[in-house]
Amino acid sequence: MKEGEIKALYSTETLTYSPQKEIHLGQTMPNHDSVARAHSIMSALGQAGFVDIHISSVAGMPWIEQVHSADYLRFLRSTSNMSPGQEILPSFFPWTPDYIATIGEDEPGYYAYDTYTPVSRDTYRSSVASANCAVAGAQLLLEGEKSAYVLTRPPGHHALKDKMGGYCYFNNTAIAAQYLFDHGMRRVAILDIDAHHGNGTQQWAWDRPNVIFASIHGNPDANIYPYASGRADELGADPQNRNIYNFPLQPGVGERQYHNKVVRAIEAIKQFHPEVLLVSAGFDTHRDDPFKIFDLCTPYYQILGMKISKLGIPTLHIQEGGYNTETLGENVVAYLKGVTAKSGAEI
Ligand code: SP5
Ligand code: ZN
């Protein structure tokens, strides 16, 4: 790869996958994971001369099945039979063992934890295609690529073992990690730079001593989604052998405070001595993102990409959030320019 080039993988499913709505506090609104997000990234990658774009076609099912429960997979697969144009948002969430025993099997709400994440006849196919991209990206690392980028859409880091949430259905990052373990990797690091805590990825990493999960995100105690996880005192199943590093930040913070946490997250990863790094790369940290969590500007993503690549570990960059379709593509490009830069300034 020449300087400024990186293998970028996408599936054509992502160019048609188009969830319509979400419900926030009783208000129906357009779903944030618009198809325009994929177009924004694709066109910016093309314009910037990131020419080496491949279409992914790896069958990731064995690794999807290791990360998610059979019941959840059966439920998601069943949504493929929905009528064209039909879209469901769960409206009832069975929460006690009694409820689950009675209606859990048939109730979409059992497999969901919010009203932001709809299902339609396209959901399963697109989610499989997205996870396939992550697996294909991981395969590139095994083939000796120093870094790769995957345009995973739908995103993945909020997907739990048996529940969808936060626009996520399959945990693309956990699935890629599982694939890497099955192909001889022994220590995998995950850095989550989406503005929201990667609760699904943390759940998967929690009791895996050969995984380190480090995440920088909006403080859940400041009413930032997903509200119930991402605190600094979540250390993993064995606190003596810490493998979870959460760096919550107050909403509104800018680059200086953000970068301090990046430095600390990277320090933790370095000390873990991973063989490979997966970055859950969200760009909803940008100042113009509709979720308005942080105050980062586009050029900062280049510094961030450079800082991460200086770890010198084979790295797969996996797309997560980022919802301003005017800026998303250029933010991804700025980040990848940093990732692929051979040298340069660093803050
Ligand atoms: C992958 C990813 O970035 N998922 C993000 C999920 C966020 N879900 C919506 C949270 C709604 C928070 N409150 C909205 C305030 C509107 N002014
Ligand atoms: Zn996010």
Side-chain angles (χ1 to χ4, degrees), residues 210-246:
N210 47 2
V211 178
I212 183 174
F213 173 75
S215 177
I216 306 155
H217 48 266
N219 189 344
D221 290 324
N223 199 27
I224 301 288
Y225 185 95
Y227 314 114
S229 69
R231 298 187 173 86
D233 63 359
E234 295 160 20
L235 307 177
D238 179 7
Q240 305 307 316
N241 217 340
R242 182 176 180 187
N243 73 324
I244 304 292
Y245 290 80
N246 281 323

Side-chain angles (χ1 to χ4, degrees), residues 33-316:
D33 188 13
S34 65
V35 69
R37 297 181 63 238
H39 293 296
S40 173
I41 296 171
M42 290 297 292
S43 87
L45 288 175
Q47 274 174 36
F50 281 88
V51 287
D52 205 4
I53 294 171
H54 297 236
I55 298 173
S56 156
S57 66
V58 162
M61 217 56 224
W63 300 284
I64 295 173
E65 284 171 356
Q66 286 188 60
V67 168
H68 295 286
S69 75
D71 283 355
Y72 176 57
L73 286 170
R74 179 156 20 83
F75 159 72
L76 272 186
R77 202 173 287 128
S78 75
T79 63
S80 307
N81 299 322
M82 290 170 64
S83 313
Q86 192 195 6
E87 187 178 83
I88 293 177
L89 277 165
S91 45
F92 179 74
F93 303 87
W95 75 98
T96 67
D98 275 0
Y99 277 121
I100 294 160
T102 328
I103 60 167
E105 289 292 302
D106 296 322
E107 176 55 52
Y110 178 65
Y111 300 105
Y113 63 87
D114 65 28
T115 58
Y116 304 117
T117 316
V119 287
S120 73
R121 63 187 281 120
D122 299 333
T123 306
Y124 179 74
R125 199 183 61 247
S126 303
S127 303
V128 170
S130 187
N132 281 348
C133 284
V135 170
Q139 190 182 49
L140 286 179
L141 299 187
L142 294 179
E143 289 166 1
E145 215 64 52
K146 270 167 56 191
S147 62
Y149 165 79
V150 287
L151 202 183
T152 34
R153 184 178 165 275
H157 74 153
H158 296 305
L160 302 172
K161 185 184 175 74
D162 62 358
K163 283 176 177 43
M164 56 195 182
Y167 320 134
C168 302
Y169 305 87
F170 291 149
N171 197 304
N172 302 316
T173 299
I175 290 162
Q178 193 68 63
Y179 172 86
L180 288 164
F181 281 126
D182 283 1
H183 288 79
M185 293 288 125
R186 284 158 303 182
R187 294 173 79 74
V188 175
I190 299 170
L191 174 63
D192 191 320
I193 55 170
D194 186 277
H196 302 97
H197 180 242
N199 56 325
T201 315
Q202 173 171 299
Q203 181 197 56
W204 179 82
W206 190 257
D207 55 4
R208 288 183 154 79
N210 47 2
V211 178
I212 183 174
F213 173 75
S215 177
I216 306 155
H217 48 266
N219 189 344
D221 290 324
N223 199 27
I224 301 288
Y225 185 95
Y227 314 114
S229 69
R231 298 187 173 86
D233 63 359
E234 295 160 20
L235 307 177
D238 179 7
Q240 305 307 316
N241 217 340
R242 182 176 180 187
N243 73 324
I244 304 292
Y245 290 80
N246 281 323
F247 299 98
L249 279 167
Q250 284 311 107
V253 312
E255 287 161 13
R256 186 173 294 274
Q257 284 167 280
Y258 187 88
H259 198 73
N260 284 340
K261 304 295 186 191
V262 169
V263 169
R264 289 178 57 191
I266 285 182
E267 194 49 44
I269 288 171
K270 210 184 270 176
Q271 284 174 18
F272 183 78
H273 299 293
E275 290 172 296
V276 59
L277 171 65
L278 305 176
V279 182
S280 262
F283 298 87
D284 40 12
T285 48
H286 190 263
R287 64 187 324 170
D288 295 331
D289 192 86
F291 288 126
K292 296 241 166 296
I293 299 178
F294 294 136
D295 194 27
L296 308 187
C297 303
T298 300
Y300 174 72
Y301 293 107
Q302 188 164 350
I303 293 162
L304 179 58
M306 204 178 293
K307 179 80 189 160
I308 293 168
S309 77
K310 284 213 168 135
L311 272 165
I313 307 166
T315 303
L316 179 62

